[in-house]
Structure formats: C-alpha cells, structure tokens
C-alpha cells in the first residue's frame, strides 16, 4: 500500500512543483492517464481539484478490490480524505474503447454515472475499433484518437485558461 500512496504523492508533488515554478497554473493543469494511470489521475484530481483544470481518464478500471464503487479508489490508494467526485469546475473526460477486453466500455460509463450523479462535470467519449493497449503504438487509429483527445483538451481549456497551448492548425 505504501507504494501506491508514494505514487500519488509523487504526482501531487509534480503538479505543485510545476505550478510553484510558474510553468503552469491551476487553469492550465491537465492530468491524463490510461488504465491504472487513469485511476491515478482521478485520485490525484480529486485531491487537488483546486489546482487541476481537467482530468482525462482513458479506460479507468472500476474493480479495485471493493464491493462499493465509491470506496474502491479510496481503498486501493489509501486516500485520505476519501475519493470524491471533482467539483463542477473541474472537468473530467472519460474515454472508452469498443474493443477493450480489459476495461469494457460499461465500466467507463459507470465512472461517468458516478461522477455526474455526485454533481461532477464529466464527458463520456467512446472510440471504436481500439483495444486496451493501443497507446504508444504506431497505429493510425491510435494517432487519430490521441489527436482527438488532445483537441478536446485544447477546446475545453483554451476559453478559460492562459495555459499557453499553440494551435498548429
């Protein structure tokens, strides 16, 4: 369990350090993770919701050794305070993949339902014909999905942030 908490502390410290150095600010900070990294991003986003503008969680699993969905991420990471849905001003994008045999679309949809039922601001995106391990592959479909996810972040943050993205189109 200690390693899991250290991972959360490492990511929290990285966010805080980048902001202290002026490399980003709360309106320009995005947490982006896939699979277990998506759970990590959601956990840290819930802890630093005032310091993070958006969390993009790509195929976050829900079965984290708990029979209570809301407590699963809290128990797995030993969170204190407990995991809560981020407030409405903290945006969450949840991405699911139709050919994902590890984290089915239904599990990602449960995250969406949980966050929105708690008053959170979440979007559910579904992409077809991609397996769970598409990230980092030189596959045109994966490249297209990454581009769409980055464009979505760009569109969501730019109107309200001075995050410094450069539109290359």
């Amino acid at each position: 369990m200690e390693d899991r908490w250290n991972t959360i502390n490492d990511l929290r410290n990285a966010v805080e350090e980048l902001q202290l150095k002026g490399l980003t600010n709360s309106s320009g900070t995005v947490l982006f993770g896939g699979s277990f990294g998506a759970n990590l991003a959601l956990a840290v986003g819930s802890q630093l919701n005032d310091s993070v503008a958006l969390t993009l969680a790509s195929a976050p699993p829900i079965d984290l050794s708990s029979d209570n969905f809301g407590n699963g991420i809290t128990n797995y990471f030993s969170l204190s305070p407990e995991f809560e849905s981020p407030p409405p001003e903290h945006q969450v994008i949840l991405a699911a993949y139709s050919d994902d045999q590890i984290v089915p679309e239904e599990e990602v949809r449960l995250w969406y339902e949980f966050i929105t039922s708690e008053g959170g601001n979440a979007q559910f995106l579904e992409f077809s014909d991609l397996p769970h391990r598409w990230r980092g592959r030189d596959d045109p479909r994966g490249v297209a999905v990454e581009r769409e996810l980055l464009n979505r972040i760009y569109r969501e943050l730019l109107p309200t942030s001075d995050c410094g993205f450069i539109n290359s189109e």
Side-chain angles (χ1 to χ4, degrees):
M1 282 298 193
E2 187 65 30
D3 288 343
R4 294 176 189 159
W5 186 247
N6 286 339
T7 303
I8 286 180
N9 279 339
D10 289 346
L11 183 54
R12 286 172 46 156
N13 291 339
V15 168
E16 291 167 354
E17 183 71 17
L18 290 170
Q19 290 179 356
L20 280 173
K21 289 185 174 184
L23 298 173
T24 188
N25 58 35
S26 61
S27 69
T29 300
V30 175
L31 299 176
F32 185 169
S35 194
F36 174 80
N39 288 96
L40 178 62
L42 287 165
V44 172
S46 80
Q47 299 257 315
L48 295 178
N49 58 48
D50 291 339
S51 299
V52 176
L54 186 145
T55 298
L56 197 156
S58 178
I62 61 166
D63 184 12
L64 297 172
S65 304
S66 174
D67 57 357
N68 180 323
F69 177 73
N71 290 330
I73 199 167
T74 296
N75 295 338
Y76 188 78
F77 288 116
S78 300
L79 294 180
S80 179
E82 293 183 0
F83 176 80
E84 293 180 1
S85 178
E89 57 274 9
H90 177 118
Q91 300 173 64
V92 177
I93 297 175
L94 298 154
Y97 309 96
S98 64
D99 289 351
D100 193 332
Q101 301 300 313
I102 296 171
V103 180
E105 171 194 339
E106 297 80 28
E107 286 190 25
V108 181
R109 192 171 294 282
L110 287 173
W111 273 109
Y112 172 79
E113 291 169 3
F114 172 73
I115 291 170
T116 57
S117 73
E118 297 287 314
N121 178 3
Q123 297 177 40
F124 177 83
L125 305 176
E126 180 188 0
F127 297 96
S128 60
D129 302 324
L130 283 172
H132 187 75
R133 293 185 173 97
W134 67 268
R135 290 170 219 73
R137 306 237 189 277
D138 193 18
D139 181 327
R141 297 171 303 169
V143 170
V145 167
E146 285 205 336
R147 176 175 222 150
E148 172 58 29
L149 292 174
L150 292 172
N151 280 333
R152 182 68 62 122
I153 292 169
Y154 177 76
R155 286 191 308 267
E156 294 297 324
L157 288 185
L158 192 60
T160 60
S161 149
D162 56 354
C163 61
F165 282 129
I166 298 172
N167 186 353
S168 61
E169 296 181 315

